[in-house]
Amino acid sequence: MKTEQALQNDLPVKAAKTKKNFRWTVVIWLLIGGIINYLDRTNLSIAAPAMIEELDLNMTHIGLLGTIFSWTYACMQLPSGWLIDKFGAKRIYSIAVLWWSIATALTGACNKMLTLVGARFLLGVGEAPCMPSNAKITAQWFPKSERGLATGFWDASSKVGPAIAPPILVAIQVAFGWRALFFITGAVGIVFVLLFMKFYKTPDKSKLLSKEEYEYIKAEGGASNDTVESTNIKWRELFKYRSVWGMIGGFFCTIWIWNIFLTFLPLYLLKTQDITFKELGIYAAIPYFGGIVGNLGGGYITKVLADKKICSPINAKRGLIAISALLAAAFVIMLPFVHGLAITITLMTLALCVVSAITGSAWALSGDVAPPAMVGSVGAIQNFGGYFGGAFAPLVTGIILDATGSYSIAFISGGIIAGFAAFFYWFVVKEPIKPAKAA
């Protein structure tokens, strides 16, 4: 057993002046990076009407581009999680941001469907490590009781991005054309990653993190720099665990409906509501503000439940996800049966609010289910399940629209699928992964 002096020597060297809650500044990096990530994948839905006209595309083509991205993004989750746990989140995340920013800029130079497919493929490869890296960084910087709230902050980027994208990108497109959307956001990503590489530090290397805060984080399983070599679980053995399969199934159900909104929300409003393209910038943004509330509110609820010892951190997240999934099903299924802009926007906002509560808690759940050395891998496997299955959603929706001219089937079936997330996260995800004891 280590002496007290030896334990003190394990702590990183700190600056004399430190902030008491410095760990919360880390989520700012993750939030900004996530916003850029979603700006780059949301560009397509804003540029779609102009691209359809200029490049002679149809709704099936737009759905296919969404599917190509999602399939690539999903398949690259598996190696991404392993690479993050092997080489560290900062290194892999930095390479990823640079990669996807270049892919975004290349999209603006495309003139044919084939080149667009290639650009979306490259975008999927580059964006894959983003969220697993965030989950790994959160597990390093936060104790278990706070991970739900911390994750809620950075996962809100997936709603902040789409929320601010319509007014900003519509204005850019009106002024400069659709290609400028991709050139500008690609450049923003490159600037961000250069700053991230210079200033972000892990807990053990940060000079702004006090010894007291470091000890507090470490007491609940944070501040770990364990790699995949430090655990006796092989990466492939993760698929033997019931909870991992529950996370895969539950995230599939969640991302199915999320992908429909992400790809077709602006087009749905233009088709079914009496609004102009300039007005779209405002109305398409509103539902995503509901998503921001869902992310932060869901994270706060799980923190309160854990802090007050009402239930364990893992059960707080499972319960919140189950209730949110059932509400999401109800809101989405109601959409085709209402008429009027106000009620349509209201239902979309409520739906994205509870869907966002699911995604935030699901990402935080990977830190509760996985050993510290494999948080990136488990989070990536969950995301793989979500996006590999959810990748069908944009394509299926596009085919339905071209065949029927109606969104009814897409929303009703999507709502039913979203509801099944409650089953997977409550009845299948039961307990953390428990490595076999070493001989």
Side-chain angles (χ1 to χ4, degrees), residues 188-386:
V188 169
I190 293 173
V191 173
F192 166 77
V193 74
L194 294 176
L195 295 173
F196 177 82
M197 292 169 65
K198 180 174 178 60
F199 294 109
Y200 171 78
K201 306 293 182 184
T202 54
D204 60 312
K205 295 181 179 179
S206 174
K207 295 181 179 180
L208 296 175
L209 181 64
S210 67
K211 290 182 179 180
E212 292 76 17
E213 188 173 3
Y214 183 87
E215 290 175 330
Y216 170 71
I217 295 170
K218 196 171 184 178
E220 282 196 55
S224 172
N225 286 323
D226 291 347
T227 64
V228 289
E229 286 85 359
S230 65
T231 179
N232 59 352
I233 300 178
K234 302 295 184 183
W235 182 87
R236 62 181 179 274
E237 293 175 352
L238 291 173
F239 291 94
K240 295 181 180 180
Y241 292 89
R242 171 192 177 107
S243 290
V244 171
W245 283 104
M247 294 168 72
I248 290 173
F251 219 52
F252 160 79
C253 297
T254 305
I255 297 303
W256 182 280
I257 192 61
W258 169 248
N259 274 0
I260 292 177
F261 276 110
L262 193 65
T263 305
F264 288 102
L265 188 152
L267 293 170
Y268 178 78
L269 292 177
L270 284 174
K271 177 179 174 59
T272 64
Q273 308 300 316
D274 187 21
I275 62 173
T276 65
F277 183 74
K278 290 184 179 180
E279 292 173 328
L280 177 67
I282 297 175
Y283 293 121
I286 294 174
Y288 290 101
F289 285 102
I292 297 170
V293 173
N295 269 127
L296 301 182
Y300 179 75
I301 290 171
T302 59
K303 182 179 185 302
V304 170
L305 292 173
D307 287 345
K308 292 183 178 296
K309 308 299 182 184
I310 296 173
C311 55
S312 65
I314 188 173
N315 285 336
K317 298 176 184 69
R318 290 173 59 239
L320 181 75
I321 290 173
I323 294 172
S324 298
L326 296 176
L327 290 174
F331 295 141
V332 173
I333 290 173
M334 290 170 63
L335 266 174
F337 302 101
V338 301
H339 304 285
L341 180 61
I343 186 62
T344 297
I345 293 293
T346 299
L347 282 177
M348 285 184 163
T349 302
L350 292 172
L352 283 181
C353 177
V354 290
V355 167
S356 301
I358 297 173
T359 59
S361 293
W363 275 111
L365 197 62
S366 62
D368 294 339
V369 170
M374 306 195 83
V375 171
S377 295
V378 171
I381 289 171
Q382 175 180 239
N383 211 25
F384 162 78

Side-chain angles (χ1 to χ4, degrees), residues 124-147:
V125 173
E127 291 205 351
C130 179
M131 297 305 180
S133 294
N134 288 358
K136 182 79 170 183
I137 291 172
T138 303
Q140 291 176 329
W141 273 93
F142 290 89
K144 290 182 178 180
S145 62
E146 295 180 347
R147 289 175 190 170

Side-chain angles (χ1 to χ4, degrees), residues 1-21:
M1 181 177 294
K2 291 187 177 181
T3 65
E4 181 177 351
Q5 182 62 42
L7 289 171
Q8 289 293 324
N9 292 337
D10 284 343
L11 296 173
V13 178
K14 306 296 177 187
K17 294 183 179 180
T18 58
K19 297 179 181 179
K20 184 177 181 181
N21 293 307

Side-chain angles (χ1 to χ4, degrees), residues 73-150:
Y73 180 83
C75 291
M76 290 304 298
Q77 290 297 307
L78 301 181
S80 293
W82 182 84
L83 289 170
I84 291 164
D85 286 333
K86 173 75 173 178
F87 297 106
K90 180 178 180 179
R91 181 181 301 176
I92 301 303
Y93 182 74
S94 300
I95 295 172
V97 178
L98 182 61
W99 181 299
W100 92 55
S101 298
I102 293 173
T104 298
L106 288 175
T107 306
C110 294
N111 290 306
K112 297 180 179 179
M113 182 63 183
L114 184 60
T115 55
L116 285 170
V117 168
R120 296 297 286 185
F121 173 85
L122 293 175
L123 184 68
V125 173
E127 291 205 351
C130 179
M131 297 305 180
S133 294
N134 288 358
K136 182 79 170 183
I137 291 172
T138 303
Q140 291 176 329
W141 273 93
F142 290 89
K144 290 182 178 180
S145 62
E146 295 180 347
R147 289 175 190 170
L149 183 57

